[in-house]
Structure formats: structure tokens, C-alpha cells
Amino acid sequence: MRVVSLVPSLTEAIAVTLPGVLAGATDWCTHPAGLDAAAVPRIGGTKNPDVPAVVALRPDLVVANEEENRESDLAALSAAGVEVLVTEVRELPQAIRELDRVLRACGARSRPRWLDEAEAAWDGLAPPPRRLQAVIPIWRRPWMVLGRATFAGDLLARLGVDNLYAGHADRYPRVPHDELDAAEKDLVVLPDEPYRFTADDGPEAFRARSVLVSGRHLTWYGPSLREAPAVLRRALEGRIE
């Protein structure tokens, strides 16, 4: 198999499970560490892949995601005769199923151990001591937050953190800063991707308590799911009284 991945988390999943299968990946595919750009050529971003470059790699399959990649690019690849597998991930059980589907399509004969371990890690979570209300910004200038039906929102809910905007009509609504700051909440969760919130960029904008979390562990669905419950819980508990 020759597979081109347009999704960083799927790139990591394929590289870890099926070494040598990847024929191309995006500029944002940073894991696993040391992924050789010579062996796995980069073909642009998730939102602006170089379609002719992907076609020139002669992949047997391109893996994509309905949220991360543009429909027009996927349609162009299909029109060029490239098989495209598009995933949809809104919650953890769906992510587990989609990962299994992608890996089998890429040549895996069985579910990898890391995927079983990831599922067990989340299934084995102890109930949170109490539930917290939070806003979860994902961008600044303008401010955008997690809204309805998001994978990251589902992970946080499993850790006892409920998204204040989970009932919003949009999945990633733009919300004025004044509204976010005034909302009745227990904390603000600030991931380091897609916007790179840091100790000096984000917490100062809110009067409520803020916690900085790993965006890879909050938003990626792949091998990082194994340690994500522990990593995220430690980050949250570091500021929760």
C-alpha cells in the first residue's frame, strides 16, 4: 500500500501501526517524532494540499477528515482517480471505530494493541469528583470556542468538564470576548492548538481560572489517546481546587 494522509493524527496512527506505508503527509504532520520528510514527502497543509503533488505520488489511498480537509480538494483527488477515505469523528467511540476502519483500509490485518490500550484507558476512568462548567477557546483574534458535537468536547466531558457552549448551533462559534469573560463558568480550558495558547497568551484575558492543556492530547485521535486521559487529568487537576 501507498497511503497519503491529510490528517496529522491519522498520519501518526498509520506510521506507528504500518511502518513504510505512508507515501506522503501534510506539513502539520509532526508525529511520530522523527518522521522522515525524505521518505514521507510533505504535500502542503490540511486546508491547502498540493493536489497535483498528491496525485503524482500515485497513492493507493488518501485518508482525510470531513472537518480538517476541504471538500473541494477531496473532490479534485477523486476526479483524478485517487481513492479517498474520509473520516468523521465527533466522539470517542466513533474515533475508535474510524481508526480501526482506516488502519484496515491501509493494510492492517487486526486492530493494533495501542488502539485497544487507548480504549481501555478511557473506559477505565474513575468518575470525576464533581462536574465543572468551562469555556474552551480554540482561537484568538477573533475568539472562537468549542461548540456542539466536537471530539474535544466529548473527551473533556468524560473527564468531568462540561462545555458551556455544547448547545450552540455552531460547532466552532465566534463569541465576543466580553461574553466569554462574563459567562458563568468554573474555568477556561486553553489548548496549545490550533491556536497556541501559552501562560503569557490567553489566561490574562479571563477573570476565571485558566488551565493550559496539550492540544494534541485533546484534539488528536491516534496513539496519543493512550496517555490522553492521564495527561489531561493532570493538567486539569493542577488548577482545580
Side-chain angles (χ1 to χ4, degrees):
M1 289 288 292
R2 290 176 55 81
V3 178
V4 171
S5 171
L6 302 182
V7 184
S9 54
L10 293 181
T11 296
E12 183 178 18
I14 295 167
V16 168
T17 308
L18 299 162
V21 164
L22 279 175
T26 77
D27 298 338
W28 298 101
C29 294
T30 58
H31 287 75
L35 190 65
D36 187 357
V40 184
R42 299 303 193 260
I43 46 76
T46 58
K47 302 296 185 187
N48 58 345
D50 185 337
V51 172
V54 175
V55 175
L57 290 171
R58 298 180 293 106
D60 299 299
L61 182 68
V62 170
V63 294
N65 176 263
E66 51 88 29
E67 177 180 294
E68 294 193 55
N69 307 118
R70 300 186 305 177
E71 186 177 350
S72 59
D73 294 320
L74 304 184
L77 287 168
S78 295
V82 176
E83 183 178 353
V84 180
L85 187 159
V86 183
T87 60
E88 178 181 319
V89 175
R90 307 292 175 90
E91 59 180 11
L92 179 64
Q94 187 179 30
I96 300 295
R97 293 194 301 271
E98 287 287 64
L99 283 164
D100 188 36
R101 181 169 75 102
V102 166
L103 294 172
R104 289 181 186 275
C106 292
R109 296 183 178 181
S110 60
R111 234 171 74 152
R113 177 178 295 179
W114 66 257
L115 188 54
D116 291 333
E117 291 171 349
E119 188 171 32
W122 284 96
D123 287 345
L125 279 177
R130 65 186 180 100
R131 302 205 67 83
L132 300 170
Q133 292 284 322
V135 296
I136 307 103
I138 57 166
W139 203 256
R140 185 172 189 171
R141 307 180 191 94
W143 286 97
M144 299 174 67
V145 300
L146 294 186
R148 64 174 181 84
T150 66
F151 175 67
D154 181 59
L155 294 193
L156 285 172
R158 294 169 186 273
L159 293 166
V161 178
D162 296 320
N163 178 12
L164 198 63
Y165 286 89
H168 197 282
D170 298 327
R171 296 187 66 216
Y172 302 100
R174 295 186 180 187
V175 182
H177 173 262
D178 289 348
E179 179 182 326
L180 292 178
D181 197 28
E184 294 187 10
K185 56 191 175 299
D186 298 298
L187 74 163
V188 179
V189 178
L190 298 169
D192 60 11
E193 64 175 82
Y195 185 91
R196 187 171 178 77
F197 288 107
T198 67
D200 299 319
D201 186 357
E204 83 291 342
F206 298 97
R207 290 170 291 178
R209 294 176 296 163
S210 295
V211 292
L212 297 166
V213 301
S214 162
R216 176 168 167 262
H217 290 96
L218 181 61
T219 64
W220 287 36
Y221 44 97
S224 59
L225 282 173
R226 284 177 299 186
E227 65 265 19
V231 170
L232 293 172
R233 178 158 278 178
R234 282 197 301 268
L236 294 168
E237 290 177 348
R239 294 294 296 275
I240 296 175
E241 299 174 357

